[in-house]
Amino acid sequence: MIKILLAPLLLTLSLNALELKELDNATLELTHKEAVEFCKTEKGWRLPTAKELFTLFTDHAYAIKNQDRNYWSSTLYKGSKDRAWQVLHPDRDTSPMPKSNKLLALCVKDTVPKEYDDHRFTVQKDKLIDDKHQKIFWQPLSRKEGRQKFTFGDAREHCQSLKLANHTWRLPTLNEFFNIVDFTRTKPALDKKIFKYTKFKYYWSGDFIEDYNNEAYVVGLKIGTVATNTRMGESFVRCVSDY
């Protein structure tokens, strides 16, 4: 029934060899099960993972038809079999949502989903964490550094003034930080053997909301959510350096 109903209501886009399709009707929302079935209507199509959806909203926000709407991902929430992750376009707020809720669906074609790769990180002799996929280094934290919290401005200054391994350091972008989240883990949603002294709290990214000068994006590492914090509020910090 869903396949017959939805087929005429598709908007298909091609973005650098990646094909997308979404409902050309912002009022037609789906449960998570219906969203999965909608994407499987044609061979080769599937619901994107939370990280794929997040990256699409980061890199191709202009191409997505519906604004200020929540989209289903295929990523299931570890804490409950009845929940799956959703991403808000274009703000990219993420959280687990009951599968019975009705949200929009966007599908991707001919790509292989990969939630997480345990082999992407290497701890070097100088203890820098080499993120091979994103071609950046993550700061290794000491126990003391892991307890430090900063305002947004102080966090940026802290990274810029960091003297470590002769690298130039900065706050990670929101996309960089979200892409190291491991949805198979909680408390923290990271491999704590690699990312030692990680708190189950919010960490600053270097991204802020253009329309709201007092807010910036944070990543919550209890389960891997994305939210905002006032710039004068305090959050934890882990800096990055480019190759």
Side-chain angles (χ1 to χ4, degrees):
M1 181 66 176
I2 294 175
K3 295 181 180 180
I4 296 173
L5 176 64
L6 300 183
L9 300 173
L10 305 182
L11 176 65
T12 303
L13 302 168
S14 180
L15 303 173
N16 299 325
L18 175 64
E19 288 188 80
L20 310 177
K21 70 176 179 180
E22 64 174 320
L23 295 169
D24 192 19
N25 184 340
T27 65
L28 191 54
E29 297 180 321
L30 310 172
T31 66
H32 189 262
K33 182 179 180 180
E34 290 170 341
V36 171
E37 290 300 315
F38 161 63
C39 288
K40 291 165 59 178
T41 301
E42 298 177 72
K43 185 177 179 180
W45 291 89
R46 63 175 176 81
L47 203 62
T49 68
K51 289 185 180 180
E52 289 172 326
L53 199 55
F54 194 89
T55 300
L56 285 170
F57 291 170
T58 300
D59 297 341
H60 303 290
Y62 68 91
I64 309 302
K65 177 180 174 60
N66 298 302
Q67 301 288 315
D68 300 319
R69 303 297 295 276
N70 299 84
Y71 284 78
W72 282 121
S73 81
S74 64
T75 303
L76 304 182
Y77 175 47
K78 180 179 173 60
S80 171
K81 65 180 181 180
D82 297 322
R83 290 174 177 260
W85 285 86
Q86 60 81 30
V87 183
L88 173 65
H89 177 266
D91 290 348
R92 299 172 293 171
D93 288 355
T94 65
S95 61
M97 188 80 72
K99 292 181 181 178
S100 57
N101 283 26
K102 292 200 170 187
L103 309 179
L104 294 182
L106 183 150
C107 313
V108 293
K109 185 179 182 181
D110 294 335
T111 56
V112 179
K114 198 166 190 179
E115 289 283 14
Y116 195 80
D117 180 2
D118 280 323
H119 303 293
R120 67 181 281 188
F121 303 109
T122 302
V123 179
Q124 299 189 320
K125 290 183 179 180
D126 55 11
K127 297 185 179 181
L128 300 189
I129 302 167
D130 186 351
D131 183 345
K132 298 180 181 67
H133 287 193
Q134 302 191 95
K135 300 187 184 305
I136 54 177
F137 295 106
W138 290 87
Q139 173 195 6
L141 297 177
S142 66
R143 188 183 300 274
K144 179 180 178 181
E145 290 170 330
R147 293 194 293 261
Q148 293 178 321
K149 297 175 73 174
F150 301 86
T151 64
F152 181 71
D154 288 345
R156 288 200 295 187
E157 290 182 10
H158 168 73
C159 289
Q160 291 168 0
S161 63
L162 188 64
K163 306 297 183 184
L164 181 60
N166 293 318
H167 285 251
T168 300
W169 297 88
R170 59 177 173 80
L171 282 177
T173 67
L174 180 58
N175 202 44
E176 286 170 339
F177 214 135
F178 188 72
N179 269 287
I180 67 168
V181 169
D182 182 356
F183 288 111
T184 68
R185 294 181 167 97
T186 58
K187 298 182 180 181
L190 288 177
D191 184 346
K192 61 183 179 182
K193 292 181 180 179
I194 299 292
F195 295 91
K196 295 181 179 180
Y197 306 117
T198 296
K199 300 293 185 182
F200 315 154
K201 304 293 183 179
Y202 284 103
Y203 282 73
W204 286 118
S205 79
D207 293 359
F208 53 88
I209 303 176
E210 296 288 350
D211 295 339
Y212 299 93
N213 292 329
N214 64 331
E215 294 186 359
Y217 284 104
V218 289
V219 178
L221 292 180
K222 182 177 180 180
I223 59 174
T225 53
V226 170
T228 59
N229 190 8
T230 62
R231 295 194 196 186
M232 294 308 296
E234 291 188 335
S235 293
F236 293 95
V237 174
R238 192 184 285 268
C239 310
V240 297
S241 174
D242 297 298
Y243 275 11

